[in-house]
Amino acid sequence: MLSRMKRAVGCAILMAFWVQAALAEQVCLAEDARQVRIGPMQWQVEVAHTLAARTRGLSGRTALPPGTAMWFVFPGPETPGFWMKDMAFPIDLAWVNAQGRVVGVERMAPCEPWSCPIHYPPEPVAYVLETAAGEIPEDAERAHWFCVP
């Protein structure tokens, strides 16, 4: 009888850990994300899922606090162009495909309006994460993103 109770308690403890782990990685819609995690890094995000918000991006801002980012959500996989027009600070950009895999990381610096290069992803993407420069590790490629509601 005592052996059965020990097993039952052990199973209950294991089940509690499993449920806690499952909730930590719960899935949410990309446009509902409040935090995005790539590998071990996590950011509080402002979501840009409308055309107007994606077009405006971080333009006109003077800084982006550490640990915060802009999360661009596209209606489907595409090859959007990003540039640094009207940007006052450098950023890191992670290109994320529809399967949630980081397919590229770029460091981008402010530019003069007449000489702003346009950066494109190496393949179609469904999401882009913009952070302050130096926050996305260069080895983030091939990592997956996780949405934290």
Side-chain angles (χ1 to χ4, degrees):
M1 179 77 154
L2 189 55
S3 177
R4 278 190 195 160
M5 284 182 71
K6 285 182 181 178
R7 264 189 271 154
V9 169
C11 284
I13 290 171
L14 285 174
M15 184 65 104
F17 281 118
W18 179 79
V19 167
Q20 183 178 5
L23 289 175
E25 294 295 334
Q26 72 180 275
V27 177
C28 64
L29 296 174
E31 59 268 14
D32 294 335
R34 297 296 164 251
Q35 298 179 35
V36 168
R37 185 161 46 97
I38 294 177
M41 304 297 296
Q42 185 165 308
W43 298 269
Q44 298 280 72
V45 295
E46 177 182 338
V47 179
H49 64 86
T50 66
L51 179 59
R54 288 191 305 267
T55 301
R56 183 177 53 255
L58 294 172
S59 295
R61 299 187 191 194
T62 57
L64 189 60
T68 64
M70 181 162 277
W71 179 238
F72 294 80
V73 178
F74 295 93
E78 52 188 82
T79 53
F82 277 67
W83 64 347
M84 296 293 287
K85 182 178 179 293
D86 299 327
M87 289 291 294
F89 57 95
I91 63 169
D92 284 353
L93 183 145
W95 305 104
V96 182
N97 69 14
Q99 291 73 42
R101 187 171 56 86
V102 176
V103 297
V105 174
E106 292 200 41
R107 313 248 178 206
M108 297 171 60
C111 57
E112 297 300 326
W114 59 87
S115 65
C116 258
I118 299 174
H119 301 260
Y120 294 95
E123 65 182 68
V125 296
Y127 317 103
V128 172
L129 182 73
E130 287 185 347
T131 69
E135 290 196 15
I136 299 176
E138 288 187 21
D139 64 354
E141 287 191 42
R142 294 177 300 285
H144 283 76
W145 81 277
F146 293 95
C147 174
V148 182

